[in-house]
Every structure is written in C-alpha cells, then in structure tokens.
Amino acid sequence: QVQLTESGGGLVQPGGSLRLSCTGSGRLASFDAMGWYRQAPGKQRELVARITSSGATKYGDSVLGRFAIFRNGGQNTVDLQMNSLKPEDTAVYYCNADGWYHGEYNYWGQGTQVTVSS
C-alpha cells in the first residue's frame, strides 16, 4: 500500500507565494518520479511539474519561471515552490508518484486546494 500526503495549500493574494509538500509512504523505498498536477473547475487535470529520481524536471508551460519543484534526496518527498501566483493558478493540486516496480505504478494524493484571490 502506498500513500501520498499533501500539505501547504490555502488562500493567497495575487503575486504571493505558497509551498506545497508531499510525502510518500508505503512499500516502495523510492519512487522513480514524483510530481504535481492540478485541476481547476471545469478543466482537465494538467501537469504542473515533475521530477525524476535523477533530478530531471519538466514543467507545464503556464508555470515556467514561476514554480520550482524540489525532491528530497532519496526520500519520497517532493515540494513545489509557487511564486508570483495568479488567479488562474487556482485549482486543486495533486501529488503524483509513478514508475516501474514489478509493473507500472501510478499513485495519487487526495489533493490540496490552492486559491489565488484578493
């Protein structure tokens, strides 16, 4: 059983910053990749940022230069630093872990709400 636990969401004014954290626990010692996705009302879930165990990163076009993803060494922890937040960043943010271990795996957290509003 694998569980992803998110924290750090909330309400922030436009131009502000927030940091999301996600910790994974369970049978896997290290995930191949961890990342953050988001889903706004009426929209599809989209990639925000993803980082592999070797440190390779990928960002969604809309967050390039504003968000940064960090992974804590060999631990199953990933943080998302969000700067210069805009109202269009408002969404539920989901932590994700994926990779291969005796088969493909893909796990999701329960999500944390981020609201950018004045």
Side-chain angles (χ1 to χ4, degrees):
Q1 187 75 11
V2 170
Q3 187 172 9
L4 300 177
T5 304
E6 302 128 329
S7 62
L11 173 65
V12 63
Q13 292 186 342
S17 297
L18 276 178
R19 191 176 181 101
L20 305 182
S21 294
C22 173
T23 299
S25 60
R27 61 182 181 90
L28 292 175
S30 180
F31 300 121
D32 292 343
M34 298 186 75
W36 291 91
Y37 291 73
R38 68 186 182 187
Q39 188 166 19
K43 294 188 177 181
Q44 290 188 332
R45 190 172 297 189
E46 63 176 358
L47 171 71
V48 177
R50 182 177 181 269
I51 184 168
T52 68
S53 57
S54 62
T57 58
K58 182 177 181 179
Y59 292 90
D61 290 343
S62 62
V63 306
L64 275 172
R66 300 188 297 122
F67 291 12
I69 190 167
F70 302 93
R71 189 157 175 186
N72 187 347
Q75 297 182 23
N76 285 332
T77 300
V78 64
D79 287 3
L80 182 70
Q81 178 65 42
M82 304 185 292
N83 300 323
S84 302
L85 282 160
K86 304 175 182 180
E88 50 264 42
D89 293 317
T90 296
V92 178
Y93 284 69
Y94 296 91
C95 181
N96 175 265
D98 71 85
W100 181 273
Y101 183 74
H102 296 298
E104 186 175 355
Y105 62 84
N106 192 3
Y107 300 111
W108 294 93
Q110 291 188 327
T112 184
Q113 177 70 45
V114 171
T115 302
V116 185
S117 175
S118 55

